[in-house]
Amino acid sequence: MNPDTPRPSTPSDPPARPGLPIGIDPANVPAFGCIVYFAREGDVFRGRVANLAGIEVTAASQREMLGQIVARFKSAVSDSLGKDETPAWIDPPAAKQAGESKLFLPVHL
């Protein structure tokens, strides 16, 4: 067969999907909701996760604060799931304190 000639598809070929091939079926990638409360205190951003115990950070920027929170959230959830345990969810989530804003982040592991 000539390499420039497209080969016919066979029943064993997976169906073509539009977009970039990423090698992972998006339906199998777990995602978890991360509720973040944060406040700016002078030149420092303080953030905490309202629905998972033990994650509080401070940072020089909101971007840095969220990056730290997402990394710690992923680590905590992955560690729990790796041990066949349920993450330490807080249900209902902790109450928002005066001066805090709320963000909801869908976090993919």
Side-chain angles (χ1 to χ4, degrees), residues 3-92:
D4 294 330
T5 304
R7 70 180 178 92
S9 66
T10 63
S12 63
D13 287 342
R17 289 199 232 180
L20 296 175
I22 57 172
I24 298 174
D25 181 2
N28 293 329
V29 177
F32 297 89
C34 177
I35 300 171
V36 178
Y37 296 150
F38 72 96
R40 185 173 185 172
E41 298 169 349
D43 292 338
V44 175
F45 285 85
R46 179 183 48 81
R48 62 190 176 100
V49 176
N51 62 328
L52 187 62
I55 301 175
E56 294 188 32
V57 303
T58 57
S61 70
Q62 184 178 13
R63 182 183 183 117
E64 181 184 345
M65 176 204 62
L66 291 174
Q68 289 179 30
I69 283 177
V70 167
R72 291 182 184 185
F73 184 90
K74 281 184 175 186
S75 178
V77 172
S78 292
D79 287 351
S80 293
L81 296 177
K83 297 174 185 174
D84 289 329
E85 298 174 356
T86 301
W89 300 120
I90 300 171
D91 189 23

